[in-house]
Amino acid sequence: MKKRIVGTSNIEISELSLGCMSLPANIGEAQPIIEAALDAGINYFDTADLYLQGENERIVGEILKPHRRNVILATKVGNRFEKGQEGWSWDASASYIKSAVKDSLKRLQTDYIDIYQLHGGTITDDLDAVIDTFEELKKEGFIRAYGISSIRPNVFMPFAEKGYALSNMMQYSLLDRRAEEWFSALTASGISVVTRGSIAKGLLTKEWRSRLQDYMSYSQQELATLLADLEARYGSLHSLALAFNLQHKAIASTVIGASTKQQLLENIAAYYAIKDLPAIDGITEQIKKDIYTEHR
């Protein structure tokens, strides 16, 4: 599987990566999924301390422990929770981040995290303090690099401009192109995009007819027409969705979740089938030009 450099670093991640949020809570069920990802050449695994209140990190860490030197681990911080209690609160304070990173390291069974991400963020956060804390964690060897997971430009652009972040995880797909507006600015700041939501809740797969619903600014009727046309022209919507994302140099990887091994294998097959697609030049003319303003 091809790899791309993240930001201005020497960190290379697979073009298709595994978002671990959807993994089963049972390690025995999660292991075949992660092992299939490894077998396919996927080396980037994205999780967060919030997922299953840390249990997701523990499962990922246990399975990947024998492969640690060959994988890139990314996790997130900022959503504070109490184990066993419902709900969470936002906490981007230096003291919490310093405490949370040690908890994540323990659960992931590793001495360092490759990419540590602020899991969202608000305009009231002291981003200077967050960046200073991340820089301190780098110097101490707890993390190799840091980034953010945000679709809010009034949060991620100041974050990008104030520090040395390497990545921003953003929702982006053929049907949700809001993030495009910021690709050039992020690239200019030395930041790569890693995408989520890239198959639009299954609408950009062969199962789209059973998933048909209003999505973003599209009505069901508009989607039915558009997706049927694209499927007729390109064959695989799944491959088209991945190709559409990866055509952008700003994007380092497309992060896809999977709750079963079969789902993962379908994503992998779609990735390798990109080479069989007709040229996708000009496809954007078929798609609504700007749905960002409506959903700002």
Side-chain angles (χ1 to χ4, degrees):
M1 184 171 291
K2 293 180 181 178
K3 295 182 175 64
R4 298 186 181 186
I5 294 288
V6 185
T8 57
S9 73
N10 61 355
I11 298 174
E12 287 188 310
I13 62 177
S14 48
E15 288 186 332
L16 186 67
S17 47
L18 183 62
C20 297
M21 183 176 70
S22 300
L23 289 175
N26 180 294
I27 193 168
E29 296 175 10
Q31 187 156 354
I33 301 172
I34 290 180
E35 289 181 346
L38 292 167
D39 290 343
I42 290 173
N43 77 334
Y44 187 63
F45 296 84
D46 178 87
T47 181
D49 57 3
L50 181 65
Y51 302 160
L52 297 176
Q53 295 189 323
E55 184 65 11
N56 190 271
E57 284 185 326
R58 189 191 70 78
I59 289 170
V60 170
E62 178 67 24
I63 297 170
L64 287 179
K65 187 176 180 180
H67 310 278
R68 182 65 185 98
R69 292 185 179 181
N70 300 315
V71 299
I72 305 298
L73 275 176
T75 192
K76 309 181 192 76
V77 66
N79 293 294
R80 186 168 192 161
F81 59 90
E82 297 296 330
K83 190 74 172 177
Q85 296 183 18
E86 292 186 7
W88 61 87
S89 60
W90 179 249
D91 190 346
S93 65
S95 60
Y96 178 67
I97 292 173
K98 290 178 182 179
S99 172
V101 72
K102 293 177 182 177
D103 290 337
S104 287
L105 288 166
K106 183 177 181 180
R107 288 189 291 260
L108 289 167
Q109 298 188 55
T110 183
D111 296 328
Y112 64 94
I113 292 163
D114 293 288
I115 302 178
Y116 202 40
Q117 302 157 98
L118 187 65
H119 200 173
T122 72
I123 58 174
T124 60
D125 289 336
D126 185 346
L127 293 179
D128 287 326
V130 172
I131 290 167
D132 287 345
T133 303
F134 282 165
E135 289 290 343
E136 186 177 335
L137 294 178
K138 278 177 62 178
K139 290 177 182 177
E140 293 174 344
F142 293 125
I143 66 175
R144 290 179 65 192
Y146 61 89
I148 189 169
S149 176
S150 175
I151 59 170
R152 300 173 181 173
N154 57 355
V155 175
F156 67 71
M157 280 312 301
F159 187 89
E161 293 160 357
K162 288 175 178 288
Y164 297 95
L166 287 186
S167 66
N168 185 15
M169 175 175 270
M170 306 179 77
Q171 182 167 309
Y172 181 69
S173 74
L174 186 151
L175 298 177
D176 181 0
R177 297 172 53 204
R178 293 172 294 172
E180 270 178 31
E181 180 177 349
W182 304 99
F183 284 179
S184 294
L186 287 167
T187 299
S189 297
I191 291 178
S192 291
V193 174
V194 290
T195 66
R196 60 179 177 83
S198 304
I199 55 174
K201 298 183 178 179
L203 286 169
L204 296 173
T205 70
K206 64 182 180 181
E207 307 294 337
W208 69 268
R209 288 176 177 80
S210 64
R211 305 290 184 93
L212 200 57
Q213 58 181 308
D214 292 349
Y215 187 80
M216 301 299 295
S217 63
Y218 296 97
S219 68
Q220 288 190 44
Q221 183 177 356
E222 287 176 315
L223 279 175
T225 301
L226 174 63
L227 297 179
D229 181 44
L230 290 175
E231 189 174 58
R233 287 184 61 192
Y234 294 96
S236 170
L237 285 177
H238 204 154
S239 294
L240 178 63
L242 300 182
F244 181 80
N245 278 27
L246 292 172
Q247 71 177 316
H248 295 286
K249 293 181 180 179
I251 294 175
S253 184
T254 294
V255 181
I256 302 289
S259 58
T260 66
K261 181 178 177 180
Q262 182 59 34
Q263 284 181 350
L264 176 64
L265 293 177
E266 288 174 2
N267 285 311
I268 293 168
Y271 169 80
Y272 282 110
I274 287 175
K275 66 182 184 300
D276 300 323
L277 289 177
I280 65 171
D281 294 344
I283 186 177
T284 52
E285 279 72 34
Q286 283 207 294
I287 303 163
K288 290 185 176 179
K289 292 288 186 179
D290 183 12
I291 58 176
Y292 179 77
T293 302
E294 185 175 342
H295 296 274
R296 187 182 294 271

